[in-house]
């Protein structure tokens, strides 16, 4: 493996890129300037080979997925992010949806007897859905199925809930954690740089607020993920600034599990005039993320956003996780024009997708504990065993 990567580095014409390649090979951290140079000058074969080298050094061929479903309590939202195809303003709430606690509990009960390990709860910011409402929901889900991991709420939702309840971030996070919240998903981060944020999501929690909520969760012993919405009006330097802020917080807390670059999709939103990135740029984004985020154990390609075939391709460009079965329980990405209009994959389909990429499919829980290694299992065996679907 190392001989190949040495050959790739030696064959690179640009001496500055060769120096970056050597740093990566020698486990040295690359700087923001190095990251910018990779975005500006490096071809996909170069960053791709390096990212694959790092991925295999960390995880070999292991590629994780999980069995999960989403609950989207509402798409009514007080904010008006211009990239969002999913939300409806409070003034037009009759066009949106708003689930009751019983309806959400019934969704959870619909998975009784099925081997899901995680529920992902995220939605719009509805002014009437309070901290107390969500704490009650968490308690009821845990009372029904204590072992189900609840990954829920972005800092956008949390910041609004805490402020309305007049609670500090510390007290609010502690309260929800005690009610049953296990970890935080990565959403709401978008692009941290204020000059971009004010154009695409001016009124919601800023970078400092987002990072503070994740830091507080980490201090409570909770884990979380981080995302970056890329491929719209941001410049490469904004991507580096975003990743650098996350890398610094991770140095401090070690609480992030996964970094998830999210490709901007441009259907039915106020940024439909902005073209979507192409596949080469997508793969370069994943590869450079793997090289830059050296203290993030995992890099995830979220298949409902990227489409399953491009998600499969990312497995050669640094990615070691493709998220879960989903079971057609999320609308954020289909409404934004993803090719996955009804995102759902069986365990057998996920295993096949990973095996086709010549990787080793491993089911994980939210915290990356191995649940089952499918590398030596025939996919037909999965279908006949209902416990595995
Ligand atoms: O913050 C909204 C993004 C995010 C669009 O932690 C869009 O495991 C592209 O964060 N085009 C929420 N992206 C989803 C999210 C997430 C998803 C899956 C797994 C995890 C995890 C987290 O969705 C938002 C925003 O960045 N988003 N609209 C759009 N048009
Ligand atoms: Fe609301 Fe989230 Fe959509 Fe922004 S991205 S409008 S905060 S649902």
């Amino acid at each position: 493996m190392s001989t190949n990567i040495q050959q790739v580095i030696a064959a690179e014409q640009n001496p500055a890129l060769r120096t970056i390649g050597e740093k990566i090979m020698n486990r040295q951290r690359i700087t923001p300037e190095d990251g910018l140079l990779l975005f500006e000058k490096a071809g996909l074969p170069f960053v791709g080979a390096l990212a694959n080298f790092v991925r295999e050094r960390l995880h070999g061929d292991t590629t994780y997925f999980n069995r999960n479903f989403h609950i989207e309590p509402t798409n009514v939202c007080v904010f008006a992010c211009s990239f969002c195809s999913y939300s409806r303003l409070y003034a037009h709430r009759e066009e949106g949806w708003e689930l009751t606690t019983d309806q959400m509990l019934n969704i959870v009960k619909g998975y009784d007897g099925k081997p899901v390990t995680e529920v992902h709860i995220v939605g719009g910011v509805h002014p009437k859905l309070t901290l107390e409402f969500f704490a009650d929901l968490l308690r009821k889900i845990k009372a029904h199925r204590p072992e189900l991991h609840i990954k829920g709420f972005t800092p956008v939702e949390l910041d609004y809930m805490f402020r309305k309840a007049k609670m500090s971030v510390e007290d609010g996070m502690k309260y929800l954690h005690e009610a049953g919240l296990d970890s935080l998903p990565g959403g709401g981060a978008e692009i941290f740089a204020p000059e971009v944020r004010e154009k695409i999501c001016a009124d919601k929690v800023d970078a400092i607020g987002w990072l503070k909520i994740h830091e507080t969760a980490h201090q409570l012993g909770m884990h979380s993920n981080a995302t970056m919405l890329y491929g719209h009006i941001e410049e490469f330097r904004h991507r580096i600034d975003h990743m650098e802020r996350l890398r610094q917080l991770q140095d401090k807390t070690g609480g992030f599990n996964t970094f998830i670059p999210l490709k901007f999709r441009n259907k039915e939103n106020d940024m439909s005039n902005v073209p979507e990135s192409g596949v080469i740029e997508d793969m370069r984004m994943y590869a450079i993320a793997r090289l830059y985020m050296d203290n993030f154990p995992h890099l995830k390609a979220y298949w409902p956003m990227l489409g399953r075939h491009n998600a499969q391709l990312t497995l050669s460009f640094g990615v070691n996780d493709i998220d879960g079965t989903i079971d057609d329980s999320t609308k954020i990405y289909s409404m934004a024009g993803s090719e996955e209009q009804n995102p759902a994959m069986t365990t057998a389909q996920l295993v096949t997708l990973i095996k086709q990429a010549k990787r080793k499919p491993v089911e994980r829980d939210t915290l990356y504990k191995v649940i089952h290694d499918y590398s030596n299992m025939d996919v037909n065996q999965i279908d006949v065993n209902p416990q595995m679907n």
Side-chain angles (χ1 to χ4, degrees):
M1 194 198 323
S2 58
T3 319
N4 284 346
I5 202 67
Q6 275 163 355
Q7 284 166 352
V8 170
I9 296 167
E12 171 57 51
Q13 299 293 304
N14 182 327
L17 291 180
R18 280 204 303 273
T19 305
I20 297 174
E22 276 154 16
K23 276 191 189 178
I24 289 162
M25 200 178 67
N26 296 325
R27 298 174 191 270
Q28 286 166 19
R29 174 165 280 191
I30 61 171
T31 64
E33 294 71 32
D34 293 337
L36 198 56
L37 198 75
L38 290 175
F39 273 125
E40 282 169 352
K41 301 275 190 239
L44 181 58
F46 182 70
V47 286
L50 282 168
N52 192 48
F53 170 76
V54 171
R55 181 250 208 248
E56 291 181 357
R57 188 162 68 188
L58 287 168
H59 305 288
D61 282 329
T62 296
T63 301
Y64 295 103
F65 67 94
N66 69 345
R67 292 199 259 199
N68 61 350
F69 63 100
H70 289 228
I71 296 180
E72 295 177 347
T74 182
N75 68 338
V76 174
C77 191
V78 296
F79 298 118
C81 305
S82 41
F83 56 82
C84 183
S85 319
Y86 154 91
S87 66
R88 296 293 175 265
L89 281 170
Y90 188 65
H92 303 290
R93 58 190 178 283
E94 70 289 345
E95 295 168 14
W97 71 83
E98 189 186 326
L99 302 181
T100 63
T101 303
D102 281 348
Q103 284 172 320
M104 291 190 265
L105 264 181
N106 282 337
I107 295 177
V108 174
K109 287 176 183 165
Y111 290 91
D112 285 357
K114 295 188 183 169
V116 289
T117 57
E118 172 191 280
V119 55
H120 179 154
I121 307 179
V122 73
V125 178
H126 190 301
K128 301 248 160 78
L129 299 185
T130 60
L131 180 67
E132 199 40 61
F133 172 87
F134 285 115
D136 175 62
L137 174 71
L138 294 168
R139 286 186 208 106
K140 286 180 170 147
I141 294 175
K142 282 290 177 186
H144 181 72
R145 193 162 174 175
E147 79 290 357
L148 185 67
H149 183 107
I150 307 180
K151 180 179 78 176
F153 311 122
T154 68
V156 180
E157 297 162 279
L158 295 168
D159 173 69
Y160 189 86
M161 277 183 229
F162 299 160
R163 281 194 288 115
K164 269 212 134 174
K166 299 193 175 19
M167 259 199 200
S168 67
V169 171
E170 287 78 8
D171 290 346
M173 280 309 309
K174 205 157 171 262
Y175 185 65
L176 288 181
H177 187 39
E178 281 166 9
L181 186 64
D182 294 302
S183 67
L184 302 187
E190 323 314 356
I191 287 284
F192 287 144
E195 75 241 48
V196 178
R197 216 168 172 83
E198 74 196 17
K199 292 196 184 106
I200 64 170
C201 55
D203 43 3
K204 72 186 189 187
V205 70
D206 64 7
I208 292 162
W210 192 100
L211 292 162
K212 158 102 178 144
I213 288 181
H214 278 259
E215 183 171 359
T216 307
H218 298 171
Q219 282 160 352
L220 291 171
M222 298 165 77
H223 285 265
S224 72
N225 294 335
T227 58
M228 174 170 76
L229 181 69
Y230 75 90
H232 44 92
I233 60 163
E234 90 289 1
E235 294 172 23
F236 291 145
R237 66 193 166 94
H238 299 126
R239 297 187 193 179
I240 291 294
D241 169 73
H242 190 95
M243 293 195 287
E244 178 58 24
R245 293 187 204 219
L246 290 169
R247 197 169 73 166
Q248 284 181 14
L249 179 55
Q250 179 74 336
D251 277 343
K252 203 167 156 190
T253 66
F256 287 116
N257 280 333
T258 316
F259 182 56
I260 314 161
L262 291 171
K263 174 192 173 88
F264 165 66
R265 309 302 312 239
N266 71 359
K267 297 291 172 305
E268 307 292 333
N269 57 44
D270 292 342
M271 287 167 68
S272 292
N273 60 318
V274 177
E276 291 182 359
S277 52
V279 69
I280 300 282
E281 199 45 37
D282 292 334
M283 297 307 132
R284 271 179 15 101
M285 177 66 242
Y286 281 93
I288 296 170
R290 184 58 286 172
L291 302 178
Y292 203 81
M293 306 301 264
D294 59 355
N295 53 4
F296 273 63
H298 305 285
L299 181 68
K300 188 197 289 193
Y302 185 57
W303 69 265
M305 183 65 86
L306 205 55
R308 65 190 72 188
H309 294 118
N310 282 345
Q312 192 179 35
L313 196 55
T314 64
L315 300 182
S316 301
F317 295 99
V319 167
N320 68 300
D321 183 359
I322 54 169
D323 204 85
T325 44
I326 310 289
D327 201 23
D328 198 12
S329 53
T330 174
K331 293 199 171 56
I332 304 179
Y333 321 99
S334 50
M335 287 169 87
S338 166
E339 34 290 274
E340 301 290 347
Q341 283 298 297
N342 298 96
M345 274 210 261
T346 62
T347 306
Q349 284 174 311
L350 280 163
V351 165
T352 303
L353 204 74
I354 294 168
K355 283 194 171 178
Q356 282 170 345
K358 306 291 176 254
R359 300 294 194 188
K360 187 175 139 187
V362 174
E363 186 193 344
R364 62 162 174 88
D365 69 8
T366 311
L367 304 179
Y368 290 84
K369 185 167 92 24
V370 171
I371 293 185
H372 193 85
D373 182 344
Y374 288 87
S375 37
N376 295 320
M377 187 184 269
D378 188 324
V379 281
N380 298 323
Q381 278 177 278
I382 302 171
D383 277 329
V384 294
N385 183 348
Q387 276 312 304
M388 298 214 171
N389 234 336

